[in-house]
Amino acid sequence: MARGFDPAEPDLRGPVRYMLWLVRCQRRRALLGAFYGSFWMVSLAVPPLLIARAIDGGLEKGDASAVWTWALALLAVGVLNAWLAIGRHRTMTRIRMEALFGTNRVVIEQVKRLGADLDRRVSAGELATIGVADIVITSAALTVTGPGVGAVVSYIVVGFLVADVSVLLAVVVLLGVPALAILVGPLLGRLLGAQDSYRDDQSRISAQLIDVVEGLRVLNSFGGKRRHASRFRDQSARLRDRGYEVAAVTSWISGLAVGLPAVFLAGVTWLAARLASEGTITTGELVAVYGYVAMLVIPVSSLIEGADQLSRAMVSARRIVGFLGAEPMRASGRGAVPGPAHQAELVDPASGVRVEPGRFTALVSSRPGTSVAVIERLGRLVDSDATWAATRLTSIPLEEIRERILVADHEAHLFAGTLRRVLQGNTDADDRAIEDAIHVAAAEDVVQALPHGLDSIIDERARNLSGGQRQRVRLARALVADPEVLLAVEPTSSLDAFTEAIVGERLRASRAGRTTVVTTTSTLILAQADVVLFLVDGVVAAAGTHEALLAAGGEYRRLVSRGDEPDLATGPSAVAVLDRGVPT
């Protein structure tokens, strides 16, 4: 990573400014690339000049020593040219790679900054396309800093060299090259539009592919795989057609990049031959002019190809800038008021929820989304009027809130790695703490089922675990973090009743004296809560113990008494039953 890259300072005022920022971050290397590119292309114009001198000053006069002198000079220029080409290629590769790593870094920093708001600001397909395609395309376009500058410099130098031979030829050369660029211009505009449409379709189909892969097990269960495959096939066909449109324009540009300079070379050579036949220029000068114009094929092609690269990079850089400019729904975390020194009450005025410190609180709602919304406000995943010890959460530094208040989502991402590392998260917890958390989450069987225990590799998104195993691993990870305040969303929704009862009792015991809030409608968890808050239309309608709310009847009783759960809460302790060895 180049030292100049600062993820806090990308220029997001537009795609051009962003690419210029990438260049400024490695300006010394860019200048070195321009140096190599310029001298390499200019050195390509030297051999025709040396050959002309060898013909006019050696061959026509029969001077063998002069021929050998110019031949040795030509060899030296060839060696120099090779050295410059190596330096140019190496420098351009470094520029491209540093730009790629730099953009990767700022994109990752933005992902971290958006946090829980990421999926609200960008689709998974859009983010995947940015990471796989846009970053590469934008970085590759920066290589024009070498050949692009070199093409302009060599064009000017060749113009002077040709003017030394014939002013007429110089005028034709200097006016002809811009004319070639004008001919290609309309195609570049059409290409920009085609690439923009292709990029939109590519993002949409990537999002659908990710959804299908993640939901394949569900699709198989209700027979929706064929329908989704058919939709994906249709969208793939449309994307293919868009790709053909882009390829058609690109092929014309590539063809013109080679064909137009060749036609131009033929025209200038014909004119130079006429001047030589009239005696206006010498034979050696004719050869030199041919060499100059033939050499111009390289910078002209470089300019056309560079314009093609830049047009594609504009589309990609625009997407990158759009993503980097996305602001999280929550505040930036620059609050200046410290959080409470000790455990304190959390209050959500929007719902009337008051979470007493050090108690096990359960949120119940017929619409789970309303309970989750309360958790998001109390955990400051969104900005709100929620308070902690009468201080608005938005006034407290976000870093402190993240350190002391943990939101444990039942669908939180599980990263690939060893089970030990997955459970450690960003902590340095030892095996004792990990084993305690595994015990509370009743996840001992998960560890035992894996071939190497805690050292077993967990696949990306923990695909080698079942839904219930993943949920217990997520809960264990949250417990390893040992937060001051734990806000858990449906922590046992995928577990069977017996395991759920075990987790409820152990969770209550392990979090004794610390603030814990869970959203659930399970009687097995509700029976463990110190206080249950019943939400109706997002507002607290009743509060009390689970038993008291059941006795009061009404909507709460109808919601939680579904009759499909064993009454383990009122019988012997589920943990005691397990300890006596009763099979599960």
Side-chain angles (χ1 to χ4, degrees):
M1 173 61 61
R3 292 182 180 179
F5 282 104
D6 184 350
E9 298 180 357
D11 193 333
L12 304 180
R13 289 177 291 177
V16 174
R17 291 181 179 273
Y18 179 77
M19 288 191 286
L20 289 176
W21 172 77
L22 289 175
V23 174
R24 288 198 304 272
C25 286
Q26 44 181 335
R27 57 174 61 88
R28 292 183 180 178
R29 186 171 289 132
L31 290 173
L32 182 61
F35 167 81
Y36 278 125
S38 299
F39 276 86
W40 173 68
M41 285 198 177
V42 169
S43 69
L44 295 177
V46 176
L49 175 64
L50 297 179
I51 293 173
R53 295 290 185 269
I55 292 174
D56 292 341
L59 290 178
E60 289 191 353
K61 296 179 180 180
D63 188 348
S65 61
V67 172
W68 277 106
T69 299
W70 293 116
L72 291 174
L74 187 63
L75 176 62
V77 170
V79 173
L80 175 63
N81 198 348
W83 179 78
L84 290 171
I86 294 172
R88 176 191 64 86
H89 181 75
R90 292 180 63 181
T91 304
M92 291 301 98
T93 299
R94 289 177 177 174
I95 289 175
R96 181 178 69 254
M97 297 307 295
E98 293 292 352
L100 188 148
F101 294 144
T103 300
N104 265 326
R105 181 175 175 182
V106 295
V107 166
I108 291 173
E109 290 293 330
Q110 175 68 347
V111 169
K112 290 168 56 180
R113 191 169 77 96
L114 290 176
D117 295 330
L118 179 62
D119 58 351
R120 304 173 189 173
R121 293 304 189 190
V122 61
S123 67
E126 177 72 6
L127 186 58
T129 306
I130 288 174
V132 173
D134 291 334
I135 293 177
V136 175
I137 293 172
T138 303
S139 303
L142 296 189
T143 57
V144 301
T145 54
V149 174
V152 174
V153 172
S154 61
Y155 168 66
I156 296 173
V157 171
V158 167
F160 280 108
L161 291 175
V162 175
D164 187 53
V165 176
S166 168
V167 175
L168 175 61
L169 289 174
V171 171
V172 172
V173 170
L174 293 176
L175 294 181
V177 173
L180 298 181
I182 293 174
L183 291 174
V184 178
L187 285 176
L188 292 175
R190 181 181 171 187
L191 178 63
L192 189 63
Q195 286 172 336
D196 210 3
S197 298
Y198 178 81
R199 174 62 179 73
D200 287 337
D201 290 343
Q202 187 180 31
S203 176
R204 282 193 290 270
I205 198 170
S206 296
Q208 184 180 353
L209 178 61
I210 291 172
D211 288 342
V212 170
V213 171
E214 291 184 348
L216 189 59
R217 182 177 300 178
V218 177
L219 292 176
N220 282 332
S221 66
F222 65 80
K225 185 168 64 174
R226 290 186 177 180
R227 176 173 295 182
H228 279 267
S230 177
R231 288 177 53 196
F232 184 78
R233 189 162 47 247
D234 292 341
Q235 292 189 12
S236 296
R238 285 196 292 271
L239 182 64
R240 179 198 59 204
D241 294 340
R242 292 282 190 184
Y244 286 156
E245 293 177 11
V246 174
V249 181
T250 303
S251 63
W252 273 103
I253 293 175
S254 299
L256 291 174
V258 177
L260 287 179
V263 173
F264 178 65
L265 171 61
V268 175
T269 302
W270 176 83
L271 179 58
R274 289 291 302 272
L275 294 176
S277 65
E278 294 171 359
T280 305
I281 62 176
T282 65
T283 302
E285 289 173 334
L286 170 62
V287 173
V289 170
Y290 175 83
Y292 296 149
V293 180
M295 169 265 169
L296 276 181
V297 171
I298 296 176
V300 171
S301 298
S302 296
L303 287 175
I304 295 176
E305 291 173 0
D308 176 31
Q309 283 185 311
L310 288 174
S311 68
R312 289 187 284 121
M314 286 287 290
V315 175
S316 295
R318 187 180 301 118
R319 300 286 180 166
I320 294 172
V321 168
F323 172 68
L324 295 178
E327 290 294 331
M329 297 177 69
R330 50 179 167 75
S332 61
R334 297 178 180 175
V337 181
H342 306 288
Q343 293 195 84
E345 185 180 50
L346 276 168
V347 179
D348 175 37
S351 63
V353 169
R354 306 181 75 89
V355 178
E356 299 179 31
R359 305 195 74 187
F360 190 158
T361 304
L363 301 182
V364 180
S365 174
S366 60
R367 292 183 294 174
T370 59
S371 298
V372 173
V374 173
I375 293 294
E376 289 180 343
R377 293 193 290 268
L378 294 178
R380 200 184 161 193
L381 298 183
V382 296
D383 281 347
S384 69
D385 294 326
T387 62
W388 194 14
T391 301
R392 285 191 59 173
L393 288 173
T394 52
S395 300
I396 302 173
L398 187 59
E399 294 76 12
E400 181 180 355
I401 292 176
R402 291 290 172 265
E403 183 179 347
R404 300 175 64 183
I405 300 178
L406 174 62
V407 176
D409 192 341
H410 68 299
E411 294 182 349
H413 189 92
L414 290 174
F415 295 93
T418 64
L419 179 59
R420 177 182 286 103
R421 193 70 191 95
V422 169
L423 293 173
Q424 282 178 325
N426 63 350
T427 72
D428 296 322
D430 56 21
D431 283 0
R432 178 61 182 273
I434 293 174
E435 289 168 1
D436 289 344
I438 290 173
H439 175 72
V440 173
E444 292 94 340
D445 63 311
V446 178
V447 180
Q448 294 166 3
L450 294 172
H452 304 293
L454 289 175
D455 294 318
S456 300
I457 297 297
I458 302 300
D459 295 343
E460 193 268 337
R461 293 185 180 272
R463 289 194 175 92
N464 55 335
L465 300 179
S466 67
Q469 289 175 330
R470 285 195 292 268
Q471 189 166 51
R472 284 178 285 165
V473 167
R474 291 187 182 101
L475 178 58
R477 181 177 61 180
L479 294 171
V480 168
D482 195 26
E484 181 178 332
V485 178
L486 174 61
L487 308 176
V489 177
E490 297 288 348
T492 61
S493 59
S494 297
L495 306 184
D496 62 81
F498 195 84
T499 306
E500 191 173 29
I502 295 169
V503 171
E505 288 194 37
R506 291 177 178 175
L507 181 61
R508 174 187 173 88
S510 68
R511 295 286 301 172
R514 284 172 294 175
T515 305
T516 304
V517 181
V518 298
T519 69
T520 185
T521 56
S522 169
T523 58
L524 300 172
I525 302 299
L526 294 172
Q528 301 297 329
D530 295 316
V531 61
V532 177
L533 302 178
F534 180 47
L535 305 178
V536 176
D537 295 328
V539 179
V540 175
T545 64
H546 171 58
E547 291 77 8
L549 293 178
L550 274 180
E555 189 175 346
Y556 177 83
R557 184 182 183 90
R558 287 193 296 272
L559 175 64
V560 302
S561 297
R562 298 185 297 270
D564 57 353
E565 293 179 339
D567 191 14
L568 294 178
T570 58
S573 167
V575 175
V577 172
L578 181 64
D579 289 341
R580 289 200 299 268
V582 177
T584 62

